[in-house]
Amino acid sequence: MCGIVGYVGREQATPIIMEGLRRLEYRGYDSAGIAVINGSAVHAVREVGKLKALRARLEKEAPRGTTGIGHTRWATHGVPSVANAHPHHDCTRSFMLVHNGIIENYAEIKDELLHKGHVFVSETDTEVVAHLIEAFYSGDLLEAMLSSMRQLRGAYALAVISSHEPDTIVAARCGSPLVLGFGDDFNLVASDASAVLSHTRRVVYLDDHQAARLRPNESAISDLGGNRLEPKIKEISLNLSDIEKGGHPHFMIKEIFEQPSLVSDVLARRISPATDEIRFSETRDAELGLETVKKIMIVSCGTAYHASMVGKYYLENLARVPVEVDIASEFRYRNPVVNEETLVIAISQSGETADTLAGVKEAHGRGSRVLSVINVEGSSIDRESDATLYVYAGPEIAVASTKAYTAQLLSLALFSLYLARKRGTIEPETYDEMIGELRSIPAKMQWILDNHETVRTCARKFSNAPNFLYLGRSYNYPNALEGALKLKELSYIHAEGCSAGEMKHGPIALVDSTFPVICLVPDGKVYEKMLSNIQELRARRAVIIAVATEGNEDIARHCEHVIHVPRVHELLSPLLTVIPLQLLAYHITINKGLDVDQPRNLAKSVTVE
Ligand code: AGP
């Protein structure tokens, strides 16, 4: 996934583009570049590495001009190199283009253009679009873009400038996000709203197969047929402070510490203080047939998939609806048995994950209705779904998802209680108990954050362990997977999550004294089972780090380290037991001197397959 920014107006473009790219760096950071029009020439500067490398170059040679585009890359086709960095140009170097996505038919287009004498200088799929626009251009940049779009297959968000039309940017979208920002005497284009927010709150989210022409005082949006469309202007509600680090050293720790307040905010928004009724105005219950739905299929990726697994427990235990959960990249290709009687739920923080978006389209193609559980309003999955349940976690910038995960768990718990009440599958006293337990979560989360010295001790002691094992059962089995994902994606230490009940079927062969084993063992129905697993591990000299309920002194007899979390209803325990796992991954990564907000090889949202 990459980040795109474009500016056309009266100010110098370079600083505005660079500030926008800084806000988009979480989307990809193996190379970056900028191109600005200065009179009849287009000046491009590209650099390998993070944005700071490009910034250093620009201190010596900042392009002058008031029309420009920029790009921060996460490589899909072609290794990270200056030659493969965007912007890419045509043979005449009069068209400069940036792209987020994958052009699936780029090879055949490239062959045709090579036969026509075009000369390519990169290994990327993107470069073919610059040459297509050159081939189609006959005095109208927007028309040349539309003609090119008709040739392209795949996902793209594009922005192009040209020395033939020095005060113009043309942008286009199909499958990758693109937002237009409207100012008084300037216009912007970017991959998401955070890059335009410091200049304007008036935005339009382009839809698939749409293109836009931007000039300082005018904008035109058209469909693939060249028909003019009325812009659907929205006002962004985001605040800049939401995006900055708020005094924390890293976005990840800021977002971990935001969890108590976000849970409080969501509870206040979702539960009526007067009646304790749960409110989901946006789920369009009748259209989705929520009261009579016979089966739910949840599709998602990564951390969202772990939340989906917890969601299965919630929906089945509370609303008594059969639930299947599947990884989106499997769901979309396995000829799934879903139809008009199946409600498909798509869970995604970014709302841009290509496989999850494809899963939504697959579900629609088979007659299912889709409810998405999303954090980013206006995202592709949001707009593709029949209804959307927003988790209101606020912008999540760190690549490793933390607050979005707990926000997803919270939303799934609330939605399950809401559905259970609609379907009459929950006793009033149980409902009331759960509402009370939910309201206790923010303070209990804060307690964990205020008392995490044991986590720091474990991080210091085990930062150099070669492997970790995470074990859990029932509601906490998905958290074992999530804790392992957090550690491996940040610290690059091999970590495996496993159902504790599965240990005897193979994984226990791994265990010896070099293996820290994190055991999620809060009070609840499976506590004794977990204790047996811990004793089996101890017999094999494993080093156990337990996450257990505050006040449980017995557990210390079996484990070297005990991280306590406050007592809560077992069903809600994942909202608490995940926090020490997030903190452990964070502190181990910091101890290893690694980049905790931008781990290698990863992007915040995987908008390509
Ligand atoms: C989470 O820490 C990872 N960065 C990754 O697994 C992520 O959860 C996954 O790519 C799904 O993203 P989404 O929620 O935006 O769809």
Side-chain angles (χ1 to χ4, degrees):
M1 180 193 72
C2 308
I4 289 176
V5 177
Y7 169 82
V8 58
R10 308 289 177 218
E11 307 290 328
Q12 285 302 308
T14 296
I16 293 171
I17 292 168
M18 289 305 287
E19 190 253 351
L21 290 180
R22 182 173 70 83
R23 298 208 187 284
L24 297 181
E25 194 172 11
Y26 69 91
R27 301 173 64 88
Y29 34 83
D30 59 42
S31 54
I34 182 171
V36 177
I37 293 180
N38 187 358
S40 59
V42 191
H43 182 184
V45 181
R46 301 179 296 176
E47 197 51 79
V48 178
K50 296 190 174 177
L51 201 54
K52 61 187 175 190
L54 177 64
R55 199 174 291 117
R57 273 284 299 281
L58 293 175
E59 274 159 22
K60 304 187 194 87
E61 48 167 319
R64 304 275 309 155
T66 58
T67 302
I69 53 178
H71 186 271
T72 179
R73 184 175 186 239
W74 180 68
T76 54
H77 290 74
V79 296
S81 67
V82 172
N84 290 332
H86 302 212
H88 287 287
H89 57 77
D90 67 308
C91 302
T92 67
R93 298 180 70 90
S94 50
F95 299 96
M96 285 284 173
L97 175 118
V98 290
H99 167 223
N100 173 31
I102 284 188
I103 306 299
E104 294 186 345
N105 61 335
Y106 84 96
E108 58 197 80
I109 295 175
K110 187 169 181 175
D111 285 345
E112 286 170 29
L113 292 166
L114 283 167
H115 281 107
K116 291 178 180 168
H118 286 259
V119 176
F120 285 79
V121 295
S122 84
E123 306 162 301
T124 68
D125 55 336
T126 303
E127 191 183 353
V128 300
V129 186
H131 290 276
L132 266 183
I133 290 175
E134 175 197 2
F136 282 119
Y137 187 76
S138 57
D140 184 328
L141 191 54
L142 177 58
E143 274 309 316
M145 174 64 89
L146 292 170
S147 302
S148 303
M149 289 166 72
R150 295 179 197 114
Q151 306 292 316
L152 300 176
R153 263 201 338 271
Y156 54 83
L158 300 164
V160 63
I161 57 175
S162 170
S163 53
H164 298 304
E165 300 183 28
D167 65 345
T168 300
I169 295 180
V170 168
R173 174 219 153 113
C174 179
S176 294
L178 207 56
V179 61
L180 309 179
F182 295 138
D184 295 334
D185 58 356
F186 65 87
N187 286 312
L188 293 146
V189 58
S191 296
D192 74 37
S194 62
V196 305
L197 186 59
S198 48
H199 304 284
T200 179
R201 289 183 176 276
R202 298 171 58 240
V203 298
V204 163
Y205 293 97
L206 273 189
D207 278 326
D208 283 353
H209 308 300
Q210 289 184 352
R213 180 179 56 225
L214 301 176
R215 289 178 177 141
N217 290 303
E218 68 169 87
S219 63
I221 298 174
S222 75
D223 63 16
L224 214 43
N227 305 302
R228 285 292 294 270
L229 303 171
E230 267 314 299
K232 290 178 264 181
I233 295 178
K234 290 192 170 186
E235 198 77 18
I236 314 175
S237 57
L238 277 176
N239 296 311
L240 215 43
S241 60
D242 293 342
I243 298 172
E244 294 303 344
K245 294 177 188 165
H248 289 281
H250 304 100
F251 281 113
M252 182 181 177
I253 195 69
K254 169 184 177 251
E255 290 154 9
I256 289 173
F257 273 76
E258 280 178 345
Q259 292 176 110
S261 58
L262 95 79
V263 170
S264 294
D265 295 347
V266 170
L267 292 174
R269 178 193 290 266
R270 292 290 187 197
I271 304 177
S272 158
T275 65
D276 280 353
E277 186 191 359
I278 295 173
R279 300 168 294 202
F280 280 107
S281 57
E282 73 272 30
T283 48
R284 299 174 62 197
D285 304 3
E287 292 87 298
L288 294 184
L290 287 186
E291 294 206 31
T292 57
V293 66
K294 292 187 173 53
K295 176 185 157 189
I296 291 176
M297 163 67 76
I298 310 179
V299 293
S300 47
C301 301
T303 288
Y305 173 67
H306 302 148
S308 306
M309 294 170 71
V310 179
K312 171 185 170 71
Y313 287 112
Y314 290 170
L315 287 160
E316 291 193 342
N317 276 278
L318 295 171
R320 308 306 295 159
V321 182
V323 178
E324 263 190 67
V325 181
D326 205 349
I327 293 171
S329 54
E330 291 299 314
F331 174 79
R332 65 183 291 195
Y333 293 119
R334 65 175 175 81
N335 191 16
V337 181
V338 294
N339 54 34
E340 57 286 342
E341 293 190 335
T342 313
L343 173 65
V344 172
I345 296 179
I347 300 182
S348 174
Q349 186 285 130
S350 64
E352 298 301 343
T353 298
D355 285 320
T356 309
L357 178 60
V360 169
K361 292 176 178 174
E362 181 71 20
H364 275 152
R366 295 170 182 269
S368 297
R369 292 287 195 187
V370 177
L371 169 66
S372 56
V373 177
I374 294 289
N375 189 37
V376 179
E377 293 182 54
S379 58
S380 301
I381 294 173
D382 179 0
R383 289 172 310 112
E384 190 69 33
S385 301
D386 298 295
T388 298
L389 189 164
Y390 296 114
V391 301
Y392 297 112
E396 186 177 70
I397 307 301
V399 166
S401 187
T402 51
K403 64 173 183 173
Y405 180 65
T406 46
Q408 289 161 356
L409 297 185
L410 177 65
S411 295
L412 289 163
L414 286 163
F415 184 65
S416 302
L417 285 167
Y418 171 78
L419 210 48
R421 214 176 195 187
K422 281 179 90 72
R423 296 163 64 95
T425 56
I426 189 167
E427 295 302 324
E429 54 275 11
T430 306
Y431 178 88
D432 294 342
E433 179 197 7
M434 295 310 298
I435 295 294
E437 288 289 288
L438 280 168
R439 288 202 166 111
S440 75
I441 292 289
K444 291 173 179 174
M445 284 182 158
Q446 193 59 50
W447 186 93
I448 296 167
L449 295 171
D450 294 344
N451 298 279
H452 72 277
E453 193 44 47
T454 307
V455 172
R456 288 173 181 270
T457 304
C458 292
R460 278 192 294 272
K461 186 167 182 179
F462 299 110
S463 288
N464 295 316
N467 302 284
F468 275 75
L469 196 54
Y470 288 72
L471 300 181
R473 282 178 180 260
S474 181
Y475 298 107
N476 281 285
Y477 163 40
N479 265 8
L481 304 180
E482 175 60 13
L485 174 62
K486 287 284 107 30
L487 186 68
K488 73 180 98 171
E489 69 174 329
L490 291 169
S491 69
Y492 317 144
I493 295 173
H494 173 252
E496 184 173 343
C498 182
S499 157
E502 275 295 286
M503 281 301 291
K504 289 192 287 298
H505 302 282
I508 199 161
L510 287 170
V511 169
D512 61 26
S513 60
T514 67
F515 239 81
V517 182
I518 318 280
C519 293
L520 303 180
V521 55
D523 290 359
K525 292 193 192 70
V526 295
Y527 176 79
E528 294 302 331
K529 298 294 179 195
M530 281 302 297
L531 213 47
S532 306
N533 292 132
I534 287 172
Q535 280 148 357
E536 289 156 11
L537 289 162
R538 296 286 293 154
R540 287 149 183 90
R541 301 172 49 239
V543 177
I544 310 284
I545 301 169
V547 178
T549 301
E550 184 196 2
N552 175 348
E553 301 308 329
D554 172 58
I555 193 73
R557 291 192 305 111
H558 309 280
C559 312
E560 276 78 6
H561 304 280
V562 181
I563 298 165
H564 284 110
V565 296
R567 181 178 306 284
V568 74
H569 190 287
E570 181 182 18
L571 185 143
L572 298 177
S573 62
L575 280 144
L576 299 184
T577 60
V578 74
I579 295 181
L581 309 184
Q582 296 168 345
L583 291 166
L584 183 65
Y586 173 79
H587 286 294
I588 287 177
T589 303
I590 297 302
N591 292 349
K592 291 172 75 78
L594 297 170
D595 186 338
V596 75
D597 283 335
Q598 297 174 357
R600 69 186 182 195
N601 305 341
L602 293 179
K604 181 60 184 171
S605 169
V606 183
T607 59
V608 295
E609 275 200 71

